[in-house]
């Protein structure tokens, strides 16, 4: 591993030197408008580069209970409950102190996408973007012989998950073939790393400020900057003008990351879970909020689900292409990168096993639902013993097991109701954002000229109409999911659903959350009054959410 340490230290020094040299020669370049001394740079086809920031993680071993941190936010929104997790880096640090996470300094831009997909020819790459994108303005950009640096510096959005993965795969294969890029990839056991989307843990650990923030106490704060100063760090409502802006316009976080909050929400490598690795996996998960979010609501724990596929409520399902979702890359590695590392990893785990009970994974094994076993099996064993011996059953022991079974069933019923209630509230929050975006687009369309010969204006009007039509389909799809969740709450029974809503009412204090809870409670009462038939009312819900947006 010492060779990996030396290699990684050399790579950091080399890329920092090259980044500093390039910043002296060419200031405010569109792919790196704010160079920093310890940036890690990788070339792209043509003239552009990708910039990363190192996030140090303490502890030289593969496992270390000293790396357990608390992520999430008790006072945050849905799906943000605190959880403990052991954070880890992908590469040995340049010292013996620990490991390093390499996380993108900026969001990936349209120009960087075009450089990769056009193999260095940005104009050709923009034509690929026009084919993959759902934004008519990207088609206009592809027809421009000399695209502006302002356009190239805007974050990549409007493309599907499949197109994101296609881009990452194309980037990796090009880097493996490029002598310069391949030489800069950090190593584990001699094996090169690769580009990928970041994990939620990597993203939030980096967003909060990493190890330095743990040391100075800032890690637990809502944001890595004073919340009242958000306009210095993020592009968000009400100043964002319903669109993304070029990268690097604002101040960096303490870790040197730009646009981590607002601008484009950033898609992660995992699927969405309601809590950390709990429940069933859903769609894609995005972090950081977007230009549609209110600046005052931005926070490190903010996470949302985005559908991988978009259903129109009828027979048509297509790829989701969202104007609010982009990506920030990470550099990763396999855990067992080479066969020679297996013995090192095994020895490290043996040292760790005696302390594993102190980790989140170890503590999960002592959870009551796991340790309790199956009370029904215990009752069956007691009855079988009585039958085989001809003695009276041990009624006290059976009653104890039945009481435990009743407790477990209640816990599971309440958990299912809370999960269904959370999902219904999340559906309403998603519905509110879709209505907000559509309302803004309708206002812009109302202000457009009735007729014009300006091709740019015609294109923008058509783009607005397409977005309004897409929003209609999205609102129908979200409403359908919401109605299903209310039906699921009803099927669990008024006892469990009432308990779930009471607990959530005590947890969420925001005006929007309270409105969503009131809507769910009203629809649940209507469903009960109708004997289980759909009691939701789309027009009333939309009207209530429109009033919230207007206020």
């Amino acid at each position: 591993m010492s060779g990996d340490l030396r290699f990684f230290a050399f790579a950091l020094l080399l890329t920092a030197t090259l980044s500093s040299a390039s910043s002296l020669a060419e200031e405010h370049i569109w792919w790196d408008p704010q160079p920093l001394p310890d940036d890690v740079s990788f070339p792209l086809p043509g003239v552009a580069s990708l910039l990363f920031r190192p996030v140090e993680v303490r502890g030289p071993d593969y496992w270390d209970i000293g790396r357990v941190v608390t992520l999430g936010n008790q006072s945050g929104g849905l799906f943000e409950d605190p959880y403990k997790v052991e954070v880890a880096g992908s590469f040995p640090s340049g010292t013996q102190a620990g490991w390093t996470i390499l996380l993108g300094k900026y969001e990936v831009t349209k120009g960087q996408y075009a450089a990769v997909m056009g193999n260095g020819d940005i104009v050709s790459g923009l034509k690929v973007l026009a084919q993959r994108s759902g934004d008519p303005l990207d088609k206009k950009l592809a027809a421009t012989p000399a695209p502006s640096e302002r356009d190239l510096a805007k974050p990549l959005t409007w493309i599907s998950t499949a197109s994101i993965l296609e881009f990452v795969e194309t980037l990796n294969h090009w880097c493996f073939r490029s002598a310069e890029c391949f030489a800069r990839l950090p190593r584990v056991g001699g094996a090169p790393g690769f580009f990928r989307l970041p994990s939620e843990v990597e993203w939030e650990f980096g967003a909060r400020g990493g190890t330095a923030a743990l040391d100075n106490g800032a890690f637990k704060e809502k944001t890595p900057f004073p919340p009242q100063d958000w306009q210095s760090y993020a592009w968000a409502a009400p100043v964002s003008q319903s669109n993304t802006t070029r990268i690097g316009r604002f101040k960096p976080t303490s870790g040197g990351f730009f646009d981590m909050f607002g601008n484009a929400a950033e898609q992660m490598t995992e699927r969405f879970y309601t809590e950390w690795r709990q429940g069933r996996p859903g769609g894609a998960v995005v972090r950081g909020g977007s230009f549609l979010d209110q600046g005052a609501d931005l926070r490190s724990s903010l996470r949302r689900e985005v559908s991988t596929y978009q259903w129109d409520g009828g027979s048509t399902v297509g790829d989701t292409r969202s104007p609010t979702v982009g990506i920030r890359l990470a550099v990763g590695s396999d855990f067992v990168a080479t066969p020679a590392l297996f013995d090192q990893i095994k020895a490290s785990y043996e040292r760790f096993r005696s302390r594993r009970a102190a980790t989140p994974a170890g503590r999960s094994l002592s959870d009551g639902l796991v340790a309790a076993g199956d009370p029904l099996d215990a009752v069956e064993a007691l009855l079988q013993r009585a039958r085989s011996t001809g003695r009276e059953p041990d009624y006290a022991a059976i009653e104890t097991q039945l009481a435990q079974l009743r407790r477990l069933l209640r816990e599971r019923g309440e958990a299912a109701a809370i999960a269904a209630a959370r999902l219904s509230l999340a559906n309403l929050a998603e519905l509110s954002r879709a209505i907000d975006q559509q309302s803004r687009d309708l206002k812009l369309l109302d202000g457009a000229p009735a007729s014009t010969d300006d091709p740019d204006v015609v294109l923008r009007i058509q783009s607005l109409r397409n977005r309004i039509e897409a929003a209609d389909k999205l609102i129908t799809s979200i409403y359908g999911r919401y109605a299903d969740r209310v039906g699921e709450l009803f099927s669990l029974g008024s006892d469990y659903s009432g308990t779930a809503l009471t607990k959530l009412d005590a947890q969420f204090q925001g005006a929007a959350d309270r409105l969503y809870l009131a809507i769910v409670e009203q629809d649940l009462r209507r469903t009960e009054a109708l004997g289980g038939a759909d009691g939701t009312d789309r027009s009333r819900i939309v009207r209530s959410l429109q009033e919230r947006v207007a206020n």
Side-chain angles (χ1 to χ4, degrees), residues 333-532:
S333 66
D334 289 338
F335 190 75
V336 186
T338 67
L341 284 177
F342 182 79
D343 289 339
Q344 291 182 26
I345 294 171
K346 182 178 179 182
S348 174
Y349 185 71
E350 291 300 323
R351 293 191 297 272
F352 166 73
R353 287 182 68 179
S354 62
R355 297 167 291 167
R356 186 172 185 268
T359 68
R363 282 196 298 273
S364 70
L365 295 178
S366 62
D367 180 87
L369 293 180
V370 178
D374 190 334
L376 286 177
D377 287 346
V379 170
E380 178 62 31
L382 289 167
L383 293 174
Q384 180 61 35
R385 186 185 307 163
R387 285 193 293 268
S388 62
T389 60
R391 298 176 182 176
E392 282 287 310
D394 187 342
Y395 293 113
I398 290 175
E399 181 56 38
T400 297
Q401 294 297 327
L402 290 176
Q404 185 177 353
L405 178 60
R406 285 191 289 271
R407 176 180 63 80
L408 292 176
L409 289 174
R410 179 160 192 84
E411 288 177 356
R412 290 169 181 171
E414 288 182 358
I418 288 175
R422 283 178 178 273
L423 287 171
S424 66
L425 297 179
N427 292 149
L428 289 175
E430 187 181 3
L431 191 61
S432 180
R433 290 193 297 274
I435 291 170
D436 184 16
Q437 177 62 55
Q438 188 182 54
S439 298
R440 296 186 193 195
D441 288 342
L442 285 168
K443 287 180 181 178
L444 291 172
L445 188 60
D446 287 343
S451 62
T452 178
D453 294 328
D454 187 330
D456 287 347
V457 175
V458 170
L459 187 62
R460 289 186 179 277
I461 291 174
Q462 184 58 48
S463 177
L464 284 171
R465 287 174 175 158
N466 290 345
R467 283 164 58 167
I468 291 166
E469 181 181 353
D472 278 333
K473 294 179 180 178
L474 179 61
I475 289 169
T476 298
S477 173
I478 298 169
Y479 174 76
R481 296 201 302 271
Y482 166 74
D484 289 344
R485 295 291 78 73
V486 172
E488 184 179 339
L489 263 178
F490 170 79
S491 68
L492 290 168
S494 59
D495 187 13
Y496 291 145
S497 60
T499 298
L501 293 176
T502 299
K503 288 184 175 181
L504 292 178
D505 182 65
Q507 181 178 350
F508 299 123
Q509 303 300 319
D513 291 329
R514 288 299 179 87
L515 172 62
Y516 303 152
L517 277 166
I519 292 173
V520 173
E521 288 172 350
Q522 184 173 357
D523 287 341
L524 192 56
R525 286 196 299 270
R526 286 169 55 89
T527 301
E528 291 170 350
L530 293 172

Side-chain angles (χ1 to χ4, degrees), residues 5-21 37-41 54 94 184:
L5 297 178
R6 288 194 298 272
F7 180 89
F8 193 60
F10 171 74
L12 286 173
L13 177 62
L14 173 65
T15 54
T17 302
L18 290 171
S19 296
S20 298
D38 52 349
D39 289 341
V40 178
S41 174
R184 294 197 198 180

